[in-house]
Amino acid sequence: MRVLFTPFPSSSHVNNQVPLAWALRAAGHEVCMATQPDATEDILGAGLTAVPVGDMLDVAQHVRDAEAREEERPPADGEAGSWLDTFDISETRTESLTYDYLHGTLTAWTNVVLQNTMPRRALDELVAFTAHWHPDLVIWDPMYFAGAIAAKSCGAAHARFLFGLDVLGNLRRHYLAALAARPAILREDPLAEWLGRYGSGFTEDLVVGQWTLDPVPSSLALDTGLPRVGVRYVPYNGASVVPDWIGELEAGTARVCITLGMAHREVWGTDRLSVGRILQGVADLGVEVIATLDDVEADGVRVVDFVPLDVLLPLCSAVVSHGGAGSFQTALVHGVPQVVVPDMLWDTGLKARRLAGAGAGLYANDLTGLRDLVGRALHDRGIAAAARRLRSEALAMPAPSEVVALLERLTAANRPTAAG
């Protein structure tokens, strides 16, 4: 069969999809990856076929423009909190999931984020490509609805491929319940109204897919009630070279990795957390510190611009991160205790709380007590044991190669053209 992947146009989102793309390719299926040109080099670097659509998205410029507008805008009466509060999509507490919160959050995401990351030209070119390539299955990023629209336009089966917790699926489930409790005349649905402008109108699978591929172990995943296929997270860090110092570690010395991921550098041009304060938080712990950071100098810290985490983390006793998808999931599959200082984007705060609830890591509300938290992560046997349990759960999930046959069956059962 022909399988089209449509990642959000950034390195980290492409990297999340590469192992499954190669599993399908190795099984004999035709595979290509379509998104905006920002990610073309990442796709080619993975040895996959790239289909650039539309113009460069340049997320970094969008974010800078939005932040500039936010700084210039006078606060409204009674307004409190930052723009991060307005765009917090990760709320799970039942008492907080009011209609006003749900509607406001979905409206903000639809009008400010999602519409600006799916330009019409890119969508039109993606739809045109699917019209002549005729994919059987489209696997799309939950931040890139163009994949779902294109799949529906050409009669392909389609599924979301999560990169973390299904915060949007969870929010959507509660929002639909809140809408159903309102009079019909008051049932405004900003996401449905926007997606319904394209093609043959809105159906709920445009938001949540016909099914969902989820790399998060079930004990940490959100229960959204949606059809879910668990698939093991296989770390892929892009083209990389293993440094010669990786195995050099003094006997009896623990190693701590500090990583803030690549996504923030791509989007904001810098890290959103204070690098200096994080480094201070691990000072004088008697450990070797490896920091994957830019333009930083610190005594006693080996600072590298990039090192593949899949190689580094198995040699670490703890990792400090912002909770990004690659950092978090790679630490899970290697059973490394984590200290998460969430940047509060998408699901990082919620992941940190759920990880701490599982006993496999620690949530840092701020950087004040980071040194003590890292010390606990290094020496608390309970945390290490819980991290190993989560590793066992993650590795027990079917590998990408093991879900190929299931994807074949689901595709056959869910293709509208086959059904009709």
Side-chain angles (χ1 to χ4, degrees):
M1 62 184 181
R2 287 180 169 176
V3 184
L4 175 65
F5 285 78
T6 59
F8 185 81
S10 77
S11 300
S12 59
H13 288 252
V14 169
N15 291 351
N16 182 62
Q17 297 187 357
V18 166
L20 182 58
W22 264 112
L24 286 156
R25 188 75 185 93
H29 298 293
E30 295 183 63
V31 173
C32 63
M33 204 172 266
T35 190
Q36 285 156 265
D38 310 56
T40 297
E41 292 302 316
D42 299 299
I43 297 168
L44 296 177
L48 294 167
T49 301
V51 181
V53 293
D55 301 315
M56 295 281 286
L57 180 58
D58 195 358
V59 179
Q61 189 59 53
H62 278 290
V63 171
R64 288 192 292 268
D65 291 345
E67 290 191 332
R69 288 193 298 270
E70 181 68 16
E71 290 177 0
E72 295 172 357
R73 181 181 64 84
D77 292 341
E79 183 179 34
S82 69
W83 66 273
L84 283 174
D85 299 317
T86 303
F87 292 95
D88 178 15
I89 199 172
S90 65
E91 183 62 70
T92 58
R93 295 169 297 180
T94 303
E95 66 275 15
S96 298
L97 293 171
T98 63
Y99 170 80
D100 288 341
Y101 164 78
L102 294 163
H103 183 73
T105 302
L106 276 176
T107 299
W109 269 86
T110 300
N111 295 337
V112 179
V113 180
L114 300 177
Q115 290 192 41
N116 288 321
T117 54
M118 197 180 83
R120 187 60 191 245
R121 181 182 168 190
L123 174 61
D124 289 344
E125 291 185 8
L126 181 61
V127 169
F129 173 73
T130 60
H132 71 78
W133 196 62
H134 300 297
D136 301 289
L137 171 63
V138 177
I139 296 177
W140 51 280
D141 190 297
M143 287 267 308
Y144 208 60
F145 293 97
I149 294 169
K152 188 174 180 181
S153 73
C154 69
H158 64 100
R160 291 183 305 159
F161 191 177
L162 303 182
F163 52 83
L165 298 176
D166 192 4
V167 288
L168 182 57
N170 183 67
L171 200 73
R172 187 71 183 168
R173 177 170 69 102
H174 288 282
Y175 185 60
L176 292 178
L179 279 182
R182 294 172 65 82
I185 196 172
L186 297 178
R187 293 176 189 170
E188 298 179 14
D189 188 339
L191 197 52
E193 192 276 331
W194 169 55
L195 292 175
R197 299 174 193 168
Y198 307 103
S200 56
F202 176 78
T203 51
E204 190 61 27
D205 62 316
L206 292 178
V207 180
V208 296
Q210 292 173 317
W211 70 91
T212 297
L213 291 156
D214 191 347
V216 178
S218 295
S219 64
L220 293 181
L222 295 174
D223 181 10
T224 62
L226 296 167
R228 175 180 180 267
V229 174
V231 57
R232 184 191 312 168
Y233 178 81
V234 176
Y236 171 72
N237 304 130
S240 56
V241 176
V242 177
D244 55 9
W245 52 261
I246 198 80
E248 299 173 1
L249 182 63
E250 186 177 340
T253 301
R255 176 180 279 169
V256 174
C257 170
I258 298 175
T259 177
L260 300 180
M262 296 296 295
H264 284 307
R265 298 184 210 173
E266 289 180 6
V267 174
W268 280 277
T270 184
D271 296 304
R272 287 189 67 80
L273 298 173
S274 170
V275 172
R277 291 188 63 193
I278 290 176
L279 294 178
Q280 291 174 12
V282 297
D284 303 323
L285 282 173
V287 299
E288 179 186 81
V289 178
I290 308 296
T292 60
L293 306 166
D294 273 337
D295 301 322
V296 175
E297 293 184 6
D299 293 336
V301 178
R302 186 190 295 271
V303 179
V304 293
D305 178 55
F306 175 81
V307 62
L309 290 182
D310 193 34
V311 174
L312 176 62
L313 289 190
L315 303 174
C316 292
S317 300
V319 56
V320 179
S321 83
H322 62 305
S327 305
F328 185 89
Q329 292 281 129
T330 304
L332 277 186
V333 299
H334 288 300
V336 183
Q338 303 185 55
V339 178
V340 181
V341 191
D343 55 19
M344 305 311 292
L345 295 176
W346 195 254
D347 64 349
T348 57
L350 181 58
K351 277 192 303 197
R353 291 193 297 272
R354 293 178 78 83
L355 182 74
L362 298 165
Y363 181 112
N365 287 304
D366 53 44
L367 299 177
T368 305
L370 185 60
R371 186 180 187 281
D372 291 339
L373 293 179
V374 175
R376 282 182 57 194
L378 287 168
H379 302 297
D380 190 318
R381 294 183 179 179
I383 293 175
R388 289 194 297 271
R389 287 195 299 271
L390 277 179
R391 177 178 188 269
S392 296
E393 184 183 352
L395 295 181
M397 298 174 73
S401 59
E402 295 171 325
V403 302
V404 169
L406 176 57
L407 294 182
E408 293 168 350
R409 294 194 297 272
L410 288 170
T411 298
N414 284 278
R415 284 197 66 188
T417 52

